[in-house]
């Protein structure tokens, strides 16, 4: 794991690492850096699809819940309105759509990120508490196909980090 | 992104969004030290104590109400919706500014929102909590409130989904849920910051528990940003829908003074107006007290004042259109309603409302007024009162004289009505005091993103 003290160095190092053929790499930063996820080759996430599915299910569920209750299960004539008075069902349909899509966004994000995850080896790195303050880290994981301990250490020290440590898994 | 903004709007470069001398480390340390290191000031204890006593008044009022019944309040036919429903609308309106700041301004890429969004979202959440109590206790039998939700029951009946009151149940509960999630998601990286900064074991464990193992991984950030953006996109139509549906509670009724198509946009503008007044009312003392002038700068204060002015003008337009409709409809009930508002027994409320909501904000045209914090603070109080009066005029004066003079009546809130209102103010401020003591009131990670050093140089 290599430590950097500014985002520019981290992104440059991440690019070089990716170009060198390492794939199981990750960056850690105190705030989101768009260029960093591009640099480590992570640009696609399934989240928008999950949210879309959540919204569609919520909308259909919301409408047909009302339809089933007011038309099929317990039809009740209110002021001569049709049983399926669909314009009156729209507000609740809309709210259900938003609610389910938002739940899908939050829980989908947490699930894809595998959170909550109380323990992770990177927390063992001595300076890692600074990843939530002003330090930037780059990791090449041991599970990478190209991983060879000495070669990786040599490669990473060539990236010009502020500090370089070996983290026990 | 910062450069883009400044070139788009050159006049903004004169007043920076935040203090230019800030760095990653100083932003982190300054905001987290309020929670972790600094001694809790005496004024915090005094403020919290006063709020907490008022909160106990609310508990007393509610206990008494549940024991004795709804007759404790001044509501009765013809005014069955008294200041309790009024307070519901007032509180939920205040909440709207928080969502506007956090979601709509995020989508519009207004960087200045970053300093105030966390605080405004907390305000939203706490205001919605107050709002939600009113309709529940107004039910008369609040222990049966769960009947409002469609659950399979032994009675074999379902809620009446054609009623705006049911729409309201779904709108407000969705709004509360989504606001809470949006707020919590925004807090996760900051919980991690606090976890790593906390000195004592219990705080490390508690903040760590909420941080859920957040470690700032690039993959996590990528999905996180996507989720945050999508939530903002979902919260934007949601916030507009909530006050629209609240206005349907009135507009779908046939009472003159309620049955108007102007209601949805006019309510939404009123909500934002009241909400920004509340944000200003809270942030002006707070930034001074905690020395946050570097984060919440005059630029923020100016912008909020301008939003208040703009929404105030929309609200003013709403009043004019209401009066015009009353006259132009040619309907004698509608005409009488407007005449009654201006000259009837509650006329003083109407004219006070015009003074508070239309005349007072006109001072915001003047730059000197917008730069004078004390004046601005006073204006925000006047506007908050004005928005309360607006709902009084809508709810009470419309109901108290409808079609038949034989069914006219007068409404007077009782001491228990006031106890409940003052009590919810106490509850609201208690929650806010706890929030500024235990959580970072400014979003730390978002502040980092707008620092000049956050940019990746290619």
């Amino acid at each position: 794991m290599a430590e950097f003290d500014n985002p520019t160095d981290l992104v440059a190092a991440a690019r070089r690492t990716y170009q060198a053929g390492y794939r199981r790499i990750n960056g850690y930063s105190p705030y989101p850096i768009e260029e960093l996820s591009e640099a480590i080759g992570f640009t696609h996430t399934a989240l928008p699809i999950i949210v879309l599915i959540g919204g569609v299910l919520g909308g259909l569920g919301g409408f047909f819940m009302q339809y089933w209750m007011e038309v099929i299960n317990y039809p009740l004539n209110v002021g001569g309105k049709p049983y399926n008075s669909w314009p009156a069902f729209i507000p609740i349909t809309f709210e259900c759509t938003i609610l389910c899509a938002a739940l899908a966004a939050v829980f989908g994000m947490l699930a894809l990120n595998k959170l909550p995850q109380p323990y992770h080896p990177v927390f063992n790195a001595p300076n890692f508490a600074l990843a939530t303050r002003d330090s930037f880290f780059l990791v090449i994981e041991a599970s990478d196909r190209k991983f060879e301990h000495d070669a990786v250490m040599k490669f990473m020290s060539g990236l010009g980090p502020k500090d370089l440590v070996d983290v026990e898994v | 992104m910062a450069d883009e903004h400044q070139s788009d709007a050159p006049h903004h470069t004169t007043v920076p969004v935040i203090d230019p001398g800030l760095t990653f480390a100083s932003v982190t340390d300054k905001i987290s030290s309020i929670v972790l290191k600094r001694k809790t000031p005496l004024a915090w204890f005094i403020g919290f104590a006063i709020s907490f006593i008022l909160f106990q008044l609310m508990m007393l009022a509610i206990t008494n109400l549940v024991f004795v019944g709804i007759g404790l309040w001044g509501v009765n036919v013809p005014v069955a919706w008294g200041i309790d429903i009024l307070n519901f609308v007032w509180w939920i309106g205040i909440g709207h500014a928080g969502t506007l700041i956090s979601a709509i301004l995020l989508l519009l890429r207004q960087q200045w929102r970053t300093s105030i969004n966390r605080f405004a979202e907390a305000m939203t959440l706490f205001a919605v909590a107050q709002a939600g109590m009113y309709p529940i206790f107004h039910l008369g039998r609040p222990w049966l409130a769960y009947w409002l939700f469609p659950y399979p029951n032994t009675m074999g009946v379902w809620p009446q989904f054609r009623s705006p009151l049911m729409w309201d149940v779904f709108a407000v509960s969705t709004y509360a849920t989504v606001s809470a999630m949006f707020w919590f998601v925004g807090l996760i990286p900051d919980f991690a910051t606090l976890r790593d900064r906390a000195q004592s074991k219990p705080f490390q464990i508690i903040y760590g528990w909420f941080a859920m193992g957040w470690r700032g991984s690039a993959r996590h950030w990528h999905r996180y940003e996507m989720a945050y953006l999508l939530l903002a996109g979902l919260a934007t139509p949601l916030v507009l829908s909530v006050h629209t549906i609240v206005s349907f509670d009135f507009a779908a009724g046939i009472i003159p003074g309620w049955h108007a198509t102007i209601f949805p946009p006019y309510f939404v503008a009123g909500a934002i107006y009241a909400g920004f007044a509340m944000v200003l009312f809270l942030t002006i003392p707070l930034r001074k007290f905690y020395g946050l002038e570097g984060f919440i700068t005059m630029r923020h204060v100016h912008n909020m004042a301008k939003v208040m002015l703009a929404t105030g003008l929309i609200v003013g337009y709403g009043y004019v259109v209401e009066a015009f409709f009353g006259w132009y409809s040619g309907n004698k009930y509608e005409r009488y309603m407007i005449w009654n508002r201006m000259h009837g027994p509650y006329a003083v409320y109407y004219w006070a409302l015009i003074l508070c909501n239309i005349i007072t904000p006109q001072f915001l045209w003047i730059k000197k007024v917008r730069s004078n914090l004390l004046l601005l603070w006073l204006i925000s109080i006047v506007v908050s009162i004005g928005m309360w009066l607006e709902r009084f005029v809508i709810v009470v004066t419309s109901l108290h004289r409808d079609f038949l003079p034989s069914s006219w009546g007068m409404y007077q809130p009782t001491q228990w009505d006031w106890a409940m209102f003052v009590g919810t103010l106490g509850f609201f401020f208690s929650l806010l005091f706890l929030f500024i003591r235990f959580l970072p009131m400014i979003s730390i990670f978002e502040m980092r993103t707008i620092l000049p050093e956050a940019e990746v140089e290619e």
Side-chain angles (χ1 to χ4, degrees):
Chain A
M1 173 189 269
E3 181 182 350
F4 300 88
D5 58 6
N6 68 70
T8 309
D9 290 353
L10 171 65
V11 171
R15 284 219 177 96
R16 279 180 55 195
T17 313
Y18 190 81
Q19 277 155 12
Y22 296 103
R23 288 296 174 268
R24 303 212 52 147
I25 55 178
N26 206 349
Y28 294 89
S29 60
Y31 64 92
I33 304 173
E34 222 175 300
E35 294 89 340
L36 182 59
S37 55
E38 276 165 27
I40 61 166
F42 182 75
T43 48
H44 182 76
T45 161
L47 197 63
I49 293 291
I50 294 175
V51 174
L52 179 69
I53 292 170
V56 168
L57 287 181
L60 291 176
F63 185 83
F64 285 104
M65 172 191 76
Q66 297 177 78
Y67 182 88
W68 182 78
M69 288 173 185
E70 303 287 324
V71 179
I72 297 168
N73 190 249
Y74 198 90
L76 188 67
N77 189 325
V78 179
K81 294 187 184 78
Y83 292 133
N84 178 22
S85 29
W86 66 267
F89 298 161
I90 295 301
I92 292 180
T93 306
F94 176 78
E95 300 299 333
C96 291
T97 311
I98 298 281
L99 181 64
C100 292
L103 287 169
V106 173
F107 289 100
M109 184 272 285
L110 292 179
L112 291 174
N113 282 347
K114 299 198 176 63
L115 294 173
Q117 184 182 14
Y119 173 77
H120 191 275
V122 293
F123 287 121
N124 294 332
N127 268 345
F128 195 70
L130 293 180
T132 57
R133 186 166 178 259
D134 58 352
S135 256
F136 301 81
F137 297 86
L138 181 69
V139 175
I140 300 179
E141 289 169 14
S143 53
D144 193 286
R145 258 187 297 149
K146 246 189 108 185
F147 191 87
E148 274 169 49
H149 187 270
D150 297 338
V152 164
M153 290 306 264
K154 198 164 162 245
F155 172 76
M156 287 189 100
S157 62
L159 296 171
K162 200 174 98 186
D163 197 12
L164 183 62
V165 289
D166 195 5
V167 181
E168 285 296 320
V169 181
Chain B
M1 206 172 77
D3 282 340
E4 233 174 70
H5 266 277
Q6 287 174 354
S7 53
D8 284 352
H11 58 284
H12 281 166
T13 50
T14 49
V15 191
V17 181
I18 52 166
D19 189 344
L22 291 165
T23 63
F24 291 137
S26 67
V27 162
T28 309
D29 296 343
K30 206 161 180 202
I31 303 174
S32 62
S33 74
I34 294 172
V35 178
L36 297 171
K37 291 216 183 80
R38 278 199 231 172
K39 221 169 146 261
T40 311
L42 183 66
W44 184 91
F45 284 104
I46 296 171
F48 181 69
I50 295 171
S51 317
F52 197 72
I53 289 167
L54 295 178
F55 170 42
Q56 298 315 303
L57 180 67
M58 184 193 91
M59 298 307 268
L60 182 73
I62 289 177
T63 310
N64 201 6
L65 183 83
V66 172
F67 263 105
V68 178
I70 201 96
L72 269 188
W73 286 347
V75 287
N76 210 331
V77 174
V79 185
W81 283 8
I83 68 167
D84 43 327
I85 296 300
L86 180 178
N87 289 334
F88 159 70
V89 181
W90 190 72
W91 276 119
I92 205 143
I94 284 173
H96 280 39
T99 320
L100 181 96
I101 291 169
S102 59
I104 300 182
L105 297 185
L106 176 79
L107 296 182
L108 296 176
R109 292 185 175 245
Q110 294 293 312
Q111 285 190 333
W112 60 275
R113 81 178 254 293
T114 306
S115 304
I116 48 172
N117 71 329
R118 167 72 46 73
F119 181 76
E121 282 168 42
M123 185 194 78
T124 295
L125 209 54
F126 303 153
V128 172
Q130 314 308 321
M133 279 190 287
Y134 282 101
I136 290 175
F137 287 104
H138 187 260
L139 290 173
R141 291 189 287 168
W143 50 92
L144 297 178
Y146 62 91
W147 282 9
L148 289 163
F149 286 99
Y151 71 102
N153 56 61
T154 51
M155 296 172 283
V157 292
W158 298 110
Q160 176 50 266
F161 290 117
R162 296 177 190 91
S163 162
L165 300 181
M166 275 312 296
W167 306 347
D168 216 20
V169 171
F170 278 80
V172 173
S173 50
T174 299
Y175 185 48
T177 314
V178 173
S179 303
M181 289 194 300
F182 198 45
W183 192 57
F184 181 73
V185 167
L187 272 166
I188 294 171
D190 284 0
F191 278 130
T193 299
L194 292 178
R195 172 197 66 202
D196 295 341
R197 301 281 91 69
Q199 305 288 326
S200 70
K201 200 80 191 162
F203 277 105
Q204 284 174 351
I205 292 173
I206 293 168
Y207 289 127
W209 198 79
F210 284 114
M212 302 191 293
W214 183 265
R215 50 189 187 272
S217 145
R219 289 184 168 78
H220 287 185
W221 275 125
H222 185 72
R223 296 191 187 103
Y224 179 91
E225 285 283 278
M226 181 61 81
Y228 203 64
L229 196 64
L230 289 171
L231 274 179
L234 292 166
T236 299
L238 175 66
V239 67
L240 299 179
S241 84
V242 171
H243 229 59
T244 300
I245 289 175
V246 168
S247 83
F248 286 162
D249 289 346
F250 300 94
I254 54 161
I255 299 286
W258 286 7
H259 196 58
T261 47
I262 186 79
F263 262 41
Y266 153 58
F267 264 54
V268 171
I272 294 164
Y273 186 39
F276 268 88
M278 188 54 101
V279 177
L280 270 176
F281 171 74
L282 297 171
T283 45
I284 289 174
L286 203 65
R287 69 194 275 278
K288 181 140 188 72
F289 196 75
Y290 281 99
L292 298 174
E293 282 97 340
F295 298 109
I296 305 171
T297 57
M298 283 314 283
R299 167 103 180 265
H300 295 97
V301 175
H302 278 285
N303 284 0
M304 288 194 274
K306 284 177 197 164
V307 174
M308 222 163 83
L309 177 59
T311 47
L313 291 174
I314 300 175
V315 169
Y317 171 78
Y319 300 150
V320 173
V321 165
E322 257 192 332
F324 175 76
F325 275 180
W327 169 76
Y328 190 69
S329 68
N331 179 308
K332 65 180 169 190
Y333 301 109
E334 289 282 342
R335 281 189 177 180
Y336 178 73
M337 180 274 298
I338 292 294
W339 185 89
N340 185 41
R341 271 187 192 176
M342 294 174 180
H343 305 282
Y346 294 113
V348 61
Y349 289 86
Y350 184 80
W351 295 112
L353 148 74
I354 299 292
L355 179 72
C356 292
N357 272 4
I358 300 192
I359 298 173
T360 316
Q362 301 311 320
F363 289 107
L364 296 174
W365 288 106
I366 307 161
K367 198 167 181 193
K368 273 208 175 116
V369 175
R370 291 202 305 268
S371 307
N372 186 326
L373 290 175
L374 181 67
L375 264 181
L376 211 51
W377 191 69
L378 292 175
I379 289 176
S380 72
I381 296 176
V382 171
V383 168
S384 297
I385 296 172
M387 286 309 293
W388 193 88
L389 290 169
E390 178 199 301
R391 278 66 178 254
F392 187 93
V393 167
I394 291 172
V395 174
V396 177
T397 56
S398 307
L399 279 175
H400 92 120
R401 289 182 176 176
D402 63 359
F403 305 98
L404 280 178
S406 60
S407 60
W408 288 1
M410 287 296 285
Y411 165 78
Q412 206 58 55
T414 66
Q415 56 183 353
W416 291 106
D417 277 301
W418 293 113
M420 179 89 176
F421 179 53
V422 175
T424 47
L425 283 171
F427 189 20
F428 176 74
F429 283 106
S430 302
L431 290 170
L432 273 182
F433 274 114
L434 289 175
F435 161 70
I436 57 175
R437 174 63 189 82
F438 290 107
L439 293 173
M441 68 177 114
I442 295 176
S443 174
I444 306 174
F445 88 89
E446 283 178 295
M447 287 306 284
R448 292 186 195 119
T449 61
I450 62 169
L451 293 173
E453 60 178 322
E455 268 181 273
V456 177
E457 289 146 30
E458 298 289 337

